[in-house]
Amino acid sequence: MALFQISEPGESPAPHEHRRAIGIDLGTTNSLVAAVRNSAPEVLPDRTGRRLLPSVVHYGANATQVGDAAAAQASADPRNTIASVKRLMGRSAKDVGEAIRGRYQLTENEGLLRIQTAAGALTPIEVSADILKALRARAEETLGGEIFGAVITVPAYFDDAQRQATKDAAKLAGLNVLRLLNEPTAAAVAYGLDALGEGTFMVYDLGGGTFDVSILRLTRGVFEVLATAGDAQLGGDDFDQVLADWARLQLGVRELTASQERVLLQSARRAKEQLSTQNSASITLGHAGGQTALSITREQFETLTKSLLERTMVPVKRTLRDAKLKADAVDGVVLVGGATRMPSVRNAVQSFFAKEPFCNLDPDEVVAVGAAIQANALAGNKSSQDDFLLLDVIPLSLGLEMMGGLSEKIIPRNSTIPIAKAQEFTTYKDGQTALALHVVQGERELVADCRSLARFTLRGMPPLVAGAARIRVTFQVDADGLLSVSAEENTSGVKADIVVKPSYGLSDDEIATMLQASFKSAAADKTARALAEARVEAEQLADAVQAAMLADADLLDDAERAQLNANVQTLRSAIAQTDHRAIADATTALNTLSEPFAARRMDKSVGNALRGQNINEVV
């Protein structure tokens, strides 16, 4: 007799087995990975303790770097250092703004956007996959094994093409996607379980490149999204760009090299962050005449960016209107995204809702934490305390093209997903045996103003008089917000269907080819990563030792100074080579040799701090 292992839905077949599941916030500026460990969600750090991974990838001729190491290459090699790639996901060339188009060399082939790099022409999907690979590697190292699955968050206003592109990137990175989760919903999971309880809440999510706002009702463990809206081309990056443009205007500088432009944007971002806690900051602009530092006050910055802040309030008002609520009916506002640290944002939200917003969780981490909680539940690890249900909505209406180029909405926006809806249509001409169906997404009445998703044809219908045929078209949207459409002629039973794979995604064959290539080059990729990491660590050590020797030259005798210089040169020579083990050995040698010097510097620093103080005051 055969025995079968059975389990409750959503639970692991082996009660003692804890599946490793992660939540990933794939952000425009920074990305994070989180997991539930010891019954509590936490963001996983890298080896140096950093939790944020800059969403930056540098493509060299022989190696690919991700994160901080890649960001360090931005000014030296801007064309091959890709940042804010999330803004290119699921987009065609015409969708891309001027600022990003001028930053990279973009091409388009059969509707698929590509970025020209030293490693070849790469799609935004491939670039995002490299970021996801780095997060997956971090999680596997921290959690001690392979990952069962991941919940990846996306902006609520991401359309079908952008969601499919995100799924393709995860597949290319070797991740099993348990679910795509809207970022505001993820934030609600993190906040709702910890603090909010029941009520109606708005999530105001201003990230690096996208803005989302959602209204959710929390009732007895059910997270129901009532309405959502946003702007997929508005975020912290735009505030940086306004500052950068202001600096150029102040100095009358029109033309900058790609390297100078990247340095200026980095300086503008630092100034924006400083103005969140200070009343003034400076922006450094490099140009043909040299370098100039410009001072800007918080008041000036808020005046410059007032229009951007007003743009965020448009979706806020729209969601309230869609949910049929007034501002005073909202019990609380949750702030998500690093850009919400700006005082002007917090003041605007507080003024509009007449209540102080919730911001007691780290706005950079809250989305990843919520995704980790959901991933843990979907992997079958949930406990009785994790008994909650997520009811998300679709951000844009889905429909078909009618005669005259009109759009007929089948599933209206803000419909709860998963969902299936059907509608009957008929033929326009006598004897019509085929029907072309054009699936579109958007709120406009004309198809030309909506986004085209897919086309397919229903063939083999009986040649009836116009209006006699009955064609039932069914739209199905799954929990990830991805669409499939089917059509059936009732009298004959002929059918046709399509799973919508937007033209801005990758085909299954392309993904398979890329996966095969990644498997073949796995060892080389691992070696290249080790080399890049060793170089970064070695360069930091060499620079630190040389700076210390200049600052405290009196603590070294001639022989010690010569030996340290020799080891620094040995390390720099190793950095120029391609043997990561040799670099690691040279790094260790310099670390060991510089330890006595470091101890003397510490003694000197402590001595200076205590000089002139009474022993009783120190004790």
Side-chain angles (χ1 to χ4, degrees), residues 338-481:
T340 60
R341 288 190 173 93
M342 290 185 283
S344 58
V345 171
R346 298 191 173 190
N347 292 339
V349 172
Q350 184 168 346
S351 175
F352 185 85
F353 288 96
K355 54 176 64 76
E356 189 173 346
F358 291 96
C359 46
N360 53 300
L361 293 182
D362 189 320
D364 281 320
E365 298 183 357
V366 63
V367 168
V369 166
I373 294 170
Q374 175 71 347
N376 191 59
L378 292 177
N381 302 323
K382 64 182 179 181
S383 66
S384 59
Q385 297 175 331
D386 297 327
D387 191 15
F388 59 87
L389 175 66
L390 299 180
L391 297 177
D392 244 328
V393 297
I394 62 167
L396 296 168
S397 300
L398 298 163
L400 288 174
E401 179 178 0
M402 298 289 101
M403 291 299 298
L406 296 175
S407 172
E408 174 71 14
K409 296 176 179 63
I410 308 297
I411 301 181
R413 68 188 175 97
N414 290 324
S415 296
T416 302
I417 57 173
I419 188 173
K421 278 197 173 183
Q423 193 165 322
E424 282 197 351
F425 298 90
T426 189
T427 50
Y428 180 70
K429 292 182 179 180
D430 291 342
Q432 193 172 333
T433 59
L435 182 68
L437 296 107
H438 182 198
V439 183
V440 296
Q441 184 173 35
E443 306 311 312
R444 304 287 292 276
E445 295 301 319
L446 296 179
V447 167
D449 297 321
C450 295
R451 188 179 185 86
S452 174
L453 293 183
R455 296 175 185 269
F456 68 109
T457 303
L458 176 65
R459 301 183 187 279
M461 298 188 303
L464 304 175
V465 297
R470 290 289 178 267
I471 299 109
R472 186 177 180 82
V473 180
T474 304
F475 278 52
Q476 290 184 301
V477 182
D478 66 16
D480 293 329

Side-chain angles (χ1 to χ4, degrees), residues 139-180:
E140 288 178 339
E141 182 177 351
T142 305
L143 301 178
E146 290 188 8
I147 303 303
F148 168 74
V151 168
I152 301 177
T153 62
V154 293
Y157 223 58
F158 255 23
D159 62 25
D160 202 73
Q162 292 166 304
R163 290 169 190 269
Q164 185 62 56
T166 304
K167 263 202 157 182
D168 286 348
K171 189 174 181 181
L172 196 55
L175 286 168
N176 170 34
V177 179
L178 299 173
R179 182 174 178 181
L180 294 181

Side-chain angles (χ1 to χ4, degrees), residues 484-499:
S484 60
V485 182
S486 63
E488 179 179 1
E489 201 283 313
N490 290 346
T491 59
S492 62
V494 296
K495 297 179 181 179
D497 58 69
I498 187 171
V499 175

Side-chain angles (χ1 to χ4, degrees), residues 28-40:
T28 306
T29 307
N30 295 295
S31 295
L32 305 92
V33 58
V36 174
R37 304 173 74 191
N38 301 318
S39 301

